[in-house]
């Protein structure tokens, strides 16, 4: 089982890599085009949204960050303008583990835990942006601090490490290889890049540069006045001409396929999603079969127990370091957070422990970016390193805001609340993903394009209304006596305005119509499911919502023994 688990985990990581390549083939050139409009990018909110959308398109924060680095190094963007885009890439990369949680929608309690464990990362990123973006616009905090760091140290150029890639590259590169310079070329307005395919055809090339006489329209086009001469109607100059010779062809599956990038991308997208979901389901099944009874109790104790008093507070910070180290090894925060999501789903890792692990993964992915930036050539090293440090400092600032003091760990409470809603109404998970990663960013983008007056006129009233609703909700739960009698509950509003039950009925009707089964069968199955859920709730009222039912096997066995002893006492011969 352990060998099978490692094999499925390897396939899972490889399928995530192929998924990223597929998204780049489908949306890579669009991502490059989005980055071209510098007027839009100079607006901080628009920059943030573009960072989110581009990372969603290419499914890799490192790819979108590298595009930003190349634009800064080529002079198309300043580091100050690039800061909100980097914040956006941090939000965009957290969609992967949210999608992974969707594969566990079959069982309500597992889905409740898995979705809460995945969205704790989303809430941390959004809340950090909500505080740090206005601070950055007002004071330039991230830009100033990272500028001081890069100016203070004389950092030598190095090389980015290859750790997990050494194991996964042989498989992924035999399926597809991409030319990453094409997206950066489109973003930097290189005319040749627009007509090039993202699929890598030649893995080994040789570029020969020679000094040649060339004709130019006039003396002003000469490379230098001393290297310019006129012969009749022709003007000649000396110029370096580069010619690239193809030496060795790549050996991946799509090297000789006469299909467009979009077609290859869609094929890989379908296959990688199939492998990803299959591996994830099999991993969860294997973990459930391996982690039962005594084994589950031991593992849960090891993973979720704090150090003895007075060192209990240290445990979370060690979990942050573990998350950072593991992400550094796998070189992808998406892979690490997607791997722990099923463990949260089956209850082996608690959400309270998953939260610091996710925070650590955010730091781990930035250290990889810093090392990658140090591999940049000398002339672009300072800018590339400053952007990587902006990403690092943004995550460190977020951790300082939302982790050290227990009552500031708001993302955990929000994720648990969302987990309870999606556990009850599973369709709401799809609504959340669409609204959080597409509708909300596009709405903010539209307002920011309309200008500051429209943004303030629409955004501020909505924000004030949201704050009032949050304050009333908190008072309803904690100090209802402080509120007027009308506001102590939302019952004065129509049912659809304060409950998802009417929407749930509508969704149920739609599903029943779309489904092959007849409505009565659907109703019977729903009744059976509700009865089963009620029985389960009655049986496990002593079990916490976010605990794994497998952990209570021993308690059930003890209860059974007690009942048998009572029966023996009552039926003496």
């Amino acid at each position: 089982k352990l060998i099978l688990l490692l094999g499925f985990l390897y396939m899972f990581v490889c399928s995530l890599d192929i998924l990223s390549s597929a998204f780049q083939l489908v949306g890579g050139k669009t991502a490059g085009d989005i980055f071209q409009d510098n007027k839009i990018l100079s607006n901080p909110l628009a920059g943030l949204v573009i960072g989110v959308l581009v990372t969603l398109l290419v499914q890799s924060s490192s790819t979108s960050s590298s595009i930003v680095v190349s634009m800064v190094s080529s002079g198309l963007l300043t580091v100050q303008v690039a800061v909100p885009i980097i914040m956006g890439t941090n939000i965009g990369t957290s969609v992967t583990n949210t999608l992974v949680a969707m594969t566990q929608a079959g069982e309500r309690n597992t889905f409740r835990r898995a979705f809460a464990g995945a969205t704790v990362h989303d809430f941390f990123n959004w809340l950090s942006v909500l505080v740090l973006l206005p601070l950055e616009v007002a004071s330039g905090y991230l830009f100033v601090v990272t500028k001081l760091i890069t100016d203070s140290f004389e950092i030598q150029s190095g090389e980015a490490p290859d750790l997990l890639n050494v194991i996964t590259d042989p498989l992924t590169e035999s399926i597809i290889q991409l030319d990453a310079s094409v997206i950066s070329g489109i973003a930097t307005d290189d005319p040749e890049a627009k007509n090039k395919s993202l699929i890598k055809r030649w893995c080994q090339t040789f570029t020969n540069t020679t000094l040649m006489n060339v004709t130019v329209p006039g003396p002003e086009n000469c490379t230098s006045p001393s290297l310019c001469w006129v012969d009749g109607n022709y003007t000649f100059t000396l110029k370096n001409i580069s010619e690239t010779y193809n030496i060795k062809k790549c050996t991946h599956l799509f090297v000789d396929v006469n299909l467009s990038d979009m077609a290859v991308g869609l094929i890989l997208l379908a296959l990688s999603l199939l492998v990803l979901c299959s591996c994830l389901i099999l991993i969860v099944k294997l973990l459930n079969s391996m982690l039962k009874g005594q084994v589950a109790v031991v593992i849960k104790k090891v993973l979720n127990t704090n150090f003895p008093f007075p060192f209990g507070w240290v445990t979370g910070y060690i979990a942050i370091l573990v998350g950072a180290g593991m992400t550094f090894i796998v070189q992808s925060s998406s892979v690490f957070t997607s791997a722990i999501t099923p463990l949260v789903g089956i209850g082996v890792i608690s959400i309270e422990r998953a939260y610091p692990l996710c925070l650590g993964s955010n730091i781990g992915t930035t250290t990889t970016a810093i090392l990658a930036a140090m591999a940049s050539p000398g002339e672009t090293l300072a800018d590339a390193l400053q952007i990587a440090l902006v990403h690092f400092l943004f995550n460190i600032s977020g951790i300082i805001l939302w982790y050290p003091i227990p009552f500031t760990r708001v993302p955990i409470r929000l994720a648990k609340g969302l987990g309870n809603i999606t556990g009850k109404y599973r369709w709401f998970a799809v609504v959340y993903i669409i609204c959080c990663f597409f509708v909300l960013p596009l709405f903010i983008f539209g307002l920011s394009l309309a200008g500051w007056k429209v943004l303030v006129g629409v955004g501020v009233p909505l924000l004030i209304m949201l704050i009032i609703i949050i304050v009333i909700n908190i008072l309803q739960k904690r100090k209802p006596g402080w509120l007027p009698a009308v506001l102590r509950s939302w019952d004065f509003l129509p049912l659809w305005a304060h409950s998802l039950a009417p929407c749930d009925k509508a969704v149920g009707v739609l599903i029943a119509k779309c489904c092959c089964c007849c409505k009565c069968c659907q109703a019977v199955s729903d009744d059976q499911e509700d009865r089963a859920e009620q029985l389960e709730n009655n049986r496990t009222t002593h079990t916490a919502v976010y605990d794994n039912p497998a952990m209570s096997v021993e308690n059930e066995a003890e209860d059974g023994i007690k009942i048998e002893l009572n029966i023996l006492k009552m039926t003496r011969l």
Side-chain angles (χ1 to χ4, degrees):
K1 281 182 179 178
L2 186 63
I3 292 163
L4 277 173
L5 185 66
L6 290 171
F8 289 136
L9 197 60
Y10 175 75
M11 293 298 292
F12 173 72
V13 173
C14 289
S15 65
L16 277 172
D17 196 347
I18 298 292
L19 185 71
S20 175
S21 299
F23 272 110
Q24 286 178 57
L25 283 167
V26 172
K29 289 191 175 181
T30 310
D33 287 330
I34 289 170
F35 272 126
Q36 273 188 17
D37 199 333
N38 298 334
K39 287 180 183 177
I40 294 173
L41 291 174
S42 59
N43 182 328
L45 277 174
L48 173 79
V49 172
I50 284 171
V52 175
L53 295 174
V54 168
T55 310
L56 286 172
L57 279 172
V58 297
Q59 278 295 291
S60 169
S61 59
S62 55
T63 302
S64 45
S65 300
S66 66
I67 297 170
V68 176
V69 169
S70 64
M71 290 184 74
V72 170
S73 59
S74 62
L76 288 173
L77 282 181
T78 62
V79 175
Q80 213 155 1
V81 171
V83 171
I85 304 172
I86 292 295
M87 290 184 184
T89 64
N90 220 49
I91 293 169
T93 194
S94 63
V95 74
T96 312
N97 57 326
T98 312
L99 290 170
V100 165
M102 292 289 291
T103 61
Q104 295 184 272
E107 204 277 313
R108 283 183 189 275
N109 279 332
T110 303
F111 185 49
R112 181 188 285 118
R113 288 188 294 265
F115 204 78
T119 52
V120 76
H121 197 191
D122 304 346
F123 284 119
F124 168 76
N125 287 331
W126 278 109
L127 289 170
S128 298
V129 165
L130 200 64
V131 175
L132 294 173
L133 183 63
L135 181 67
E136 176 63 23
V137 171
S139 65
Y141 150 69
L142 293 170
F143 173 77
V144 171
V145 173
T146 52
K147 183 71 174 166
L148 285 170
I149 294 168
T150 49
D151 291 346
S152 303
F153 298 102
E154 290 184 10
I155 301 162
Q156 299 297 317
S157 182
E159 285 189 7
D162 279 330
L163 298 170
L164 190 75
N165 291 356
V166 175
I167 307 166
T168 58
D169 279 354
L171 178 60
T172 55
E173 287 184 359
S174 66
I175 297 168
I176 190 73
Q177 288 186 54
L178 300 184
D179 189 351
S181 63
V182 174
I183 303 174
S184 300
I186 293 168
T188 51
D189 206 16
D190 180 4
E192 289 183 9
K194 290 182 180 179
N195 299 320
K196 281 178 74 176
S197 171
L198 273 166
I199 300 168
K200 206 172 191 177
R201 309 286 181 190
W202 298 91
C203 285
Q204 194 177 342
T205 57
F206 171 70
T207 304
N208 184 35
T209 305
T210 52
L211 196 64
M212 293 175 67
N213 290 339
V214 291
T215 56
V216 288
E220 66 276 1
N221 301 108
C222 292
T223 52
S224 167
S226 59
L227 301 173
C228 191
W229 60 95
V230 179
D231 184 9
N233 293 328
Y234 296 99
T235 304
F236 295 93
T237 187
L238 281 174
K239 208 172 187 179
N240 283 324
I241 303 295
S242 297
E243 284 188 69
T244 302
Y245 300 96
N246 298 321
I247 297 170
K248 188 183 176 184
K249 213 168 192 180
C250 298
T251 55
H252 59 84
L253 289 175
F254 293 93
V255 70
D256 291 319
V257 174
N258 292 322
L259 291 171
S260 65
D261 286 3
M262 177 70 78
V264 173
L266 290 171
I267 292 165
L268 287 174
L269 188 65
L271 291 173
S272 57
L273 281 171
L274 180 68
V275 174
L276 180 85
C277 295
S278 304
C279 287
L280 196 65
I281 291 162
L282 290 165
I283 286 168
V284 171
K285 294 280 184 191
L286 273 170
L287 285 170
N288 271 322
S289 66
M290 290 167 73
L291 306 177
K292 280 185 179 175
Q294 193 62 34
V295 179
V297 173
V298 171
I299 289 172
K300 190 178 180 184
K301 278 182 181 175
V302 169
L303 289 173
N304 299 315
T305 306
N306 291 332
F307 285 119
F309 182 81
F311 301 107
W313 59 273
V314 179
T315 318
Y317 295 98
I318 290 172
I320 290 173
L321 293 175
V322 169
M326 291 299 292
T327 306
F328 180 75
I329 290 167
V330 300
Q331 290 195 301
S332 171
S333 59
S334 299
V335 170
F336 177 70
T337 52
S338 299
I340 65 169
T341 297
L343 295 174
V344 177
I346 63 171
V348 172
I349 298 177
S350 67
I351 294 169
E352 287 75 14
R353 183 65 72 243
Y355 179 52
L357 288 170
C358 287
L359 302 188
S361 77
N362 273 2
I363 295 171
T365 195
T366 58
T367 54
T368 310
I370 289 167
L371 289 167
M374 289 174 71
S376 303
E379 65 274 10
T380 62
L381 177 63
D383 288 336
L385 189 60
Q386 190 177 352
I387 289 169
L389 286 171
V390 162
H391 201 180
F392 178 74
L393 188 62
F394 169 75
N395 284 308
I396 292 290
S397 304
I399 289 169
I400 292 166
L401 281 170
W402 307 114
Y403 188 75
I405 307 165
F407 78 82
T408 62
R409 295 170 192 174
V410 181
I412 294 175
R413 293 196 289 278
L414 291 174
K416 281 189 172 183
L418 184 63
N420 288 332
I421 293 167
T422 50
K424 192 174 181 183
Y425 309 108
R426 281 176 276 193
W427 54 266
F428 188 74
V430 179
V431 174
Y432 165 79
I433 290 170
I434 292 168
C435 290
C436 189
F437 293 104
F438 295 98
V439 176
L440 180 62
L442 287 170
F443 177 67
I444 296 167
F445 185 63
L447 288 178
S448 62
L449 287 182
W452 284 105
K453 290 179 182 177
V454 177
L455 182 65
V456 172
V458 177
V460 170
L462 285 174
L463 195 63
I464 291 168
M465 192 189 298
L466 185 66
I467 291 165
I468 290 168
I469 291 166
I470 290 166
V471 170
I472 291 170
N473 269 319
I474 292 166
L475 289 173
Q476 281 176 353
K477 286 179 182 176
R478 304 205 174 168
K479 300 282 183 183
W482 291 10
L483 292 168
V486 182
L487 291 175
R488 286 174 191 173
S489 73
W490 296 111
D491 292 341
F492 66 92
L493 292 171
L495 186 62
W496 59 265
H498 64 93
S499 173
L500 289 171
C503 298
D504 189 50
K505 284 180 183 176
V507 171
V509 169
L510 281 172
I511 291 168
K513 283 182 179 178
C514 296
C515 205
C516 300
C517 302
C518 60
K519 288 183 182 179
C520 58
C521 291
Q522 186 70 26
V524 169
S525 65
D526 286 345
D527 272 343
Q528 286 174 348
E529 190 176 350
D530 290 339
R531 282 175 194 166
E533 194 179 351
Q534 283 171 6
L535 286 169
E536 188 182 353
N537 289 339
N538 292 335
R539 192 173 67 249
T540 58
T541 47
H542 63 281
T543 307
V545 172
Y546 288 92
D547 282 346
N548 184 359
M551 306 298 177
S552 58
V553 169
E554 285 194 339
N555 296 336
E556 288 178 13
E558 286 174 12
D559 292 343
I561 291 164
K562 285 176 185 174
I563 290 164
E564 285 174 10
L565 288 170
N566 286 333
I567 291 166
L568 286 170
K569 282 179 185 176
M570 291 168 70
T571 56
R572 284 177 185 166
L573 292 172

